Amino acid sequence: MPHTGPQSLDRALALVDAVAAAPGPVSAKALARAAGCSLSTAYHLLGPLTERGYLVRTARGYALGPELPRLHRSFLHQLAPAPGMGDLLARLRRATGGETYHTAYRGGVITVVDTTAPVTDTANPFAPGRETRAHATAHGKALLARLTPRARRRYLDEHGMARLTPATITSAEALEAELLRVRAAGFAVSVGEADPAWTCLGVALPPAGEERDTVHALSVSVPTQEFRRRPEAIRAALAEAASLRIR
């Protein structure tokens, strides 16, 4: 995304992003290179980030700090998912054998909130965090289908429709036709559209409680070859899990 804030704020956030993207602690010199600033500037910004607990300084470099779990808990609280969403994800995983996901749309942003995929599974293409490929994922299409045309256009204008595989939908007209099918069927499917090795199914969930501007989705991903062996069983398991959240 383009930098639009004060340069010092952009660089401080770039430092946190660089630490988050690294497999382990990162030296100040490496972080300065990643943020495009001098080493003295990096140290100037790393100081308050460390004091506030967003980063910690170890013998091998900087790592993510203890304040981040609190922010994540606050994020989940404000997002207001249904109680027991974690249990629901685990139940769906047992039923399908695939990894499962809780995704949400709020304020123009789609986020993969939680997943059963272990953090060590680097092969899984649907990691928690901001989702910029909604046009190519089942959870993304399930959410886009529930948005107003204006909100949908805003999301697509910001993130585009990049061709990720030969199967990716890249035109607005084709996507609108796909979303009509999603609304008619009640679920979305992406067969190799985000990653050729994976197929995912997703369903948007009805609002719960006082939700006004947030849409949640439940989805499952399996290797494409596995999906082709038992599509109906996987679809039925997803529908059953979604019905449990509705109750």
Side-chain angles (χ1 to χ4, degrees), residues 2-14 35 41 45:
H3 297 306
T4 57
Q7 188 178 55
S8 60
L9 176 59
D10 282 337
R11 283 176 170 167
L13 294 175
T41 297
L45 297 172

Side-chain angles (χ1 to χ4, degrees), residues 95-138:
T96 62
E99 302 299 352
T100 59
Y101 312 84
H102 166 211
T103 310
Y105 168 91
R106 183 176 63 166
V109 176
I110 293 177
T111 305
V112 180
V113 178
D114 197 7
T115 175
T116 57
V119 295
T120 54
D121 184 4
T122 56
N124 190 293
F126 309 114
R130 183 191 290 260
E131 176 61 273
T132 61
R133 311 160 298 168
H135 65 294
T137 66

Side-chain angles (χ1 to χ4, degrees), residues 172-236:
E173 295 78 9
L175 181 61
E176 284 299 321
E178 173 72 0
L179 297 182
L180 281 175
R181 288 191 288 271
V182 170
R183 286 188 284 270
F187 65 91
V189 61
S190 168
V191 181
E193 294 177 44
D195 185 297
W198 293 86
T199 287
C200 53
L201 278 75
V203 59
L205 303 171
E210 298 299 319
E211 291 177 359
R212 300 289 183 185
D213 61 351
T214 303
V215 186
H216 298 270
L218 185 65
S219 62
V220 57
S221 70
V222 294
T224 296
Q225 291 183 345
E226 176 67 16
F227 172 75
R228 287 172 175 157
R229 285 196 289 268
R230 50 191 186 97
E232 295 304 324
I234 295 173
R235 189 174 298 130

Side-chain angles (χ1 to χ4, degrees), residues 66-79:
E67 186 67 8
L68 298 182
R70 185 191 66 79
L71 292 179
H72 183 247
R73 287 178 64 86
S74 297
F75 170 76
L76 292 177
H77 177 72
Q78 293 179 13
L79 195 62

Side-chain angles (χ1 to χ4, degrees), residues 129-151:
R130 183 191 290 260
E131 176 61 273
T132 61
R133 311 160 298 168
H135 65 294
T137 66
H139 52 256
K141 288 191 283 187
L143 292 171
L144 290 175
R146 290 284 296 274
L147 302 184
T148 65
R150 181 178 180 180

Side-chain angles (χ1 to χ4, degrees), residues 159-179:
H159 298 292
M161 299 176 63
R163 182 175 297 281
L164 305 173
T165 77
T168 306
I169 296 172
T170 57
S171 79
E173 295 78 9
L175 181 61
E176 284 299 321
E178 173 72 0
L179 297 182

